Amino acid sequence: MARWFITRSPETLDEENEGELIAYQALKTLDDSWTIRWCYDYLDGKIEREGDFLILGPDGRLLVLEVKTRARVFTPTGQNDGTSEKRPEDQVQSQKAGVLKALQERLEKGGEGLEVPWTVPAIFSAKEHGYQPKTHVYPFTLIGGPDYLRKLPQYWEEITSGGFRSQNPEAPRDLFHLVYGDASPEAEARFISETDRLMHDNAAADFSLLEALSENSQLLVHGGPGSGKSWMAERHALILATQGMNVLFLCFNKALGAHFTQTMARQRIKGKEDLIGKITVRTWEALCEEMGKRFAPGELPEKPQQGAPDADFDQYYTTLHSALLAAVTAEGFEAPYDALIVDEAQDHRNEWWEIYFALLTGGANSQMGIYYDPAQRPSFFSGEFSITKISEGLPGKAHLQLLETRRYTRPIFEYLCSLQSEETDRLIGGLRSSYLLAGPEVIVKEAPNPDMAKSAAASLLKEWFDEKLVSPEETLLLFPKDPFSDRYHQFAEDSYFANCQIVPADSPDAVQKGFLRATSFNKSKGLDARAVILVGTSAWEDLDADQRQPYWIASSRARQLLAVLSC
């Protein structure tokens, strides 16, 4: 999305401003090489007036756009629709003159590397359809309807022709930002909120694939980091539940399970007041323990305590697997679910899928969605995940690959691409985007010690919260190790941080208004948040090989605001 300076809220517009809202929706499709100011003041002689849009192109040229909702109809007297309004041509000419005067006055105050952009006027008529280039008789471009406004890059050279082209586009851009770049916290908050909404809208474009492939009962969906797999998995589960199915929604780690449990309770497909069916969210571990108590009581060894040797856990889960497989394949077993959705499926070992399928009323013929990315499977996981082996017995399978990275702004995307190493090459290889949204730059700072890194995180969070860029529940605080563990004791229960109650991200009630979630790099897999701060890590260049993948995964949890406070 273009870099927006918004002083008018779309939600407050009425029918009289319908044309501006139509223009806004169309201009949102421009990429981040464009800069747009919506609603600005200018002097028309000595009278202060309000203009509609200023659009600065990638080449440093500026378009002054006057918006009209109704079709342009002029009377022989020169008045618009017979009213006392100025003609749109006169309005936009006055706007251009006022804008140039403001830019020139700021230039004369001094500053190196500044330049007044070549500036041209145009009129957008929201209810017309067509494109009329300027001529010697009619020296204004007329853009009719949103379809043609979305094609602005295609017509840009023609619209802005007739003047000089800056040798350095940054020079007019810097001057424009000084005069019209609203850097207020309110403007930044509106921009970030709108970017989040557009991210979800872009990801929703892929949801139509669920309907297009509805005749295939099993979807195997592969997508790289930030491709929107989890968002699509949520929508897939909701669609199946509206059809009356009892859906098992399975993920791996506890924090992701807590997130899905709460978001599924709130989600509703537009137009559906209640789900006919049911969605049951379980982590792999919770499902195993629940099934053990239900189907194989008395046949399992006691679960090892936290901190026990890995061999003890391996033995426990091997015994658990054998007992559960025997229970769900025994004669008379009644499967409790109709459909299966698995997010972060690459974290589930091959041998467990036979059990998952046995939990479905239709077995391998049941409706299911398997969402996975082998590159995101932690390097320390034992066992194997192979989508080929898992899907061998699925008769209605269809493979789908999500190619576009949907969930990152350009600065975060570029930061992730910069974290080059042998351990992250496959992750970076999954990042692809032809359309990235503008956003705040990534903050990378080093503190002398972990305590000062925590203090810096608290100060940054207070700044973000005060400026309303993000709320506590939209934020993740990530540490190299679990900050609530006895070994790495950063927070006690009921702790407060940055004036917010801080809770483990995997606690059942973590996703609540005003709660700030914290967890480790490894436990953050699958989560996403508008804002993420990595605290107390080593700098990227100082990390050991086994620390690079978790650092990259943790950084990739952020959608718009990312800070790395190392020590």
Side-chain angles (χ1 to χ4, degrees):
M1 186 171 70
R3 176 64 179 176
W4 283 81
F5 298 114
I6 302 176
T7 58
R8 174 167 291 169
S9 173
E11 291 79 13
T12 63
L13 296 182
D14 53 24
E15 291 183 4
E16 186 178 340
N17 304 112
E18 183 184 3
E20 288 186 51
L21 186 58
I22 292 171
Y24 169 64
Q25 297 291 345
L27 291 171
K28 284 200 305 183
T29 62
L30 298 180
D31 66 33
D32 65 353
S33 61
W34 300 74
T35 303
I36 303 173
R37 171 67 184 254
W38 182 12
C39 189
Y40 62 94
D41 295 327
Y42 71 96
L43 284 177
D44 182 4
K46 294 184 178 181
I47 302 173
E48 189 171 284
R49 300 188 188 277
E50 191 176 86
D52 295 329
F53 291 92
L54 298 175
I55 304 170
L56 189 72
D59 56 1
R61 295 184 174 194
L62 180 63
L63 180 67
V64 180
L65 190 68
E66 167 65 12
V67 175
K68 295 296 176 186
T69 300
R70 297 166 296 162
R72 266 184 339 111
V73 179
F74 301 109
T75 67
T77 63
Q79 300 299 325
N80 180 26
D81 284 339
T83 70
S84 59
E85 292 181 26
K86 263 189 170 185
R87 296 189 309 163
E89 292 93 329
D90 294 337
Q91 282 183 279
V92 77
Q93 186 71 350
S94 298
Q95 291 164 8
K96 174 187 172 182
V99 167
L100 284 173
K101 181 180 180 182
L103 291 169
Q104 186 63 43
E105 287 178 350
R106 178 59 184 85
L107 181 68
E108 291 171 358
K109 291 181 180 179
E112 292 185 10
L114 301 178
E115 184 181 297
V116 175
W118 173 251
T119 304
V120 296
I123 299 167
F124 173 66
S125 184
K127 294 300 180 70
E128 287 191 88
H129 183 75
Y131 170 74
Q132 177 184 307
K134 61 186 177 183
T135 65
H136 67 283
V137 176
Y138 188 81
F140 301 91
T141 299
L142 174 65
I143 302 170
D147 289 344
Y148 280 90
L149 194 54
R150 292 188 193 98
K151 297 176 183 177
L152 189 60
Q154 179 180 333
Y155 297 112
W156 186 253
E157 186 65 32
E158 182 178 28
I159 291 172
T160 60
S161 63
F164 68 90
R165 181 187 298 276
S166 177
Q167 296 299 311
N168 176 21
E170 292 299 322
R173 185 173 293 114
D174 289 345
L175 179 61
F176 180 84
H177 283 195
L178 286 173
V179 179
Y180 293 108
D182 184 356
S184 68
E186 293 80 8
E188 189 72 8
R190 282 194 297 268
F191 172 72
I192 287 177
S193 293
E194 190 57 32
T195 299
D196 236 32
R197 179 160 38 185
L198 192 58
M199 279 183 181
H200 283 85
D201 288 348
N202 290 342
D206 289 333
F207 296 166
S208 61
L209 296 170
L210 295 174
E211 183 176 347
L213 296 170
S214 59
E215 292 185 4
N216 300 93
S217 54
Q218 295 109 14
L219 294 185
L220 314 179
V221 184
H222 178 206
S227 59
K229 295 186 300 299
S230 295
W231 292 346
M232 183 180 279
E234 284 187 33
R235 177 55 60 92
H236 196 172
L238 286 163
I239 289 173
L240 295 177
T242 59
Q243 296 170 3
M245 297 186 192
N246 187 4
V247 182
L248 171 62
F249 192 103
L250 189 60
C251 58
F252 196 83
N253 75 59
K254 290 182 179 179
L256 188 58
H259 164 78
F260 279 132
T261 297
Q262 296 198 335
T263 56
M264 286 297 185
R266 296 193 300 264
Q267 289 280 9
R268 291 291 183 270
I269 294 180
K270 188 176 181 181
K272 300 283 186 181
E273 293 184 359
D274 294 296
L275 300 180
I276 302 172
K278 180 182 177 182
I279 300 174
T280 302
V281 178
R282 292 290 182 268
T283 63
W284 170 77
E285 186 173 10
L287 180 69
C288 289
E289 293 180 2
E290 178 183 289
M291 290 171 57
K293 293 176 182 178
R294 183 175 176 184
F295 302 128
E299 299 181 25
L300 301 177
E302 185 177 348
K303 184 180 178 181
Q305 295 295 316
Q306 186 175 1
D310 290 344
D312 292 354
F313 280 97
D314 288 342
Q315 179 60 39
Y316 171 77
Y317 285 117
T318 297
T319 305
L320 177 63
H321 174 269
S322 299
L324 294 181
L325 182 60
V328 299
T329 55
E331 186 176 352
F333 173 76
E334 295 184 6
Y337 303 106
D338 305 313
L340 172 69
I341 300 294
V342 186
D343 190 38
E344 300 292 332
Q346 73 278 349
D347 294 344
H348 300 255
R349 291 164 54 156
N350 289 346
E351 58 265 28
W352 283 91
W353 291 84
E354 185 178 359
I355 294 175
Y356 302 160
F357 297 159
L359 293 173
L360 305 176
T361 53
N365 294 303
S366 301
Q367 294 274 351
M368 64 183 72
I370 300 174
Y371 294 79
Y372 69 101
D373 179 18
Q376 295 188 61
R377 182 176 171 84
S379 57
F380 58 85
F381 272 22
S382 61
E384 179 189 13
F385 169 83
S386 168
I387 194 65
T388 302
K389 292 181 180 179
I390 290 167
S391 63
E392 280 178 351
L394 302 181
K397 63 189 174 189
H399 291 268
L400 174 63
Q401 185 164 13
L402 303 178
L403 296 175
E404 283 288 309
T405 302
R406 302 289 193 188
R407 198 167 50 79
Y408 307 128
T409 56
R410 181 180 292 278
I412 291 177
F413 182 94
E414 292 177 346
Y415 179 72
L416 294 174
C417 289
S418 75
L419 302 178
Q420 298 276 349
S421 73
E422 182 179 344
E423 294 75 24
T424 57
D425 282 348
R426 290 180 67 203
L427 292 164
I428 294 171
L431 297 176
R432 301 183 189 91
S433 188
S434 56
Y435 177 72
L436 289 167
L437 306 175
E441 294 300 316
V442 176
I443 298 170
V444 180
K445 293 182 178 180
E446 188 168 359
N449 55 60
D451 286 340
M452 294 189 71
K454 279 180 64 177
S455 296
S459 297
L460 183 57
L461 284 173
K462 289 176 183 177
E463 179 182 325
W464 286 351
F465 296 158
D466 289 345
E467 295 179 357
K468 294 181 169 51
L469 302 184
V470 67
S471 60
E473 63 272 14
E474 297 171 315
T475 306
L476 278 173
L477 203 59
L478 302 181
F479 293 81
K481 303 292 183 181
D482 185 351
F484 296 93
S485 68
D486 293 336
R487 295 181 183 177
Y488 191 71
H489 194 72
Q490 296 289 323
F491 302 109
E493 290 186 13
D494 300 323
S495 292
Y496 280 77
F497 189 75
N499 297 330
C500 302
Q501 185 168 348
I502 189 163
V503 296
D506 57 2
S507 62
D509 57 353
V511 190
Q512 286 196 36
K513 186 174 179 62
F515 281 14
L516 176 62
R517 292 172 293 160
T519 191
S520 68
F521 290 178
N522 283 324
K523 291 183 178 181
S524 71
K525 269 186 86 279
L527 297 176
D528 78 276
R530 181 182 292 189
V532 170
I533 301 182
L534 276 59
V535 186
T537 177
S538 298
W540 169 256
E541 55 273 15
D542 298 328
L543 292 174
D544 295 334
D546 62 349
Q547 297 173 317
R548 291 173 188 150
Q549 188 194 43
Y551 178 106
W552 197 100
I553 292 290
S555 301
S556 71
R557 301 305 91 197
R559 295 196 301 270
Q560 295 200 61
L561 295 163
L562 172 62
V564 179
L565 304 176
S566 61
C567 58

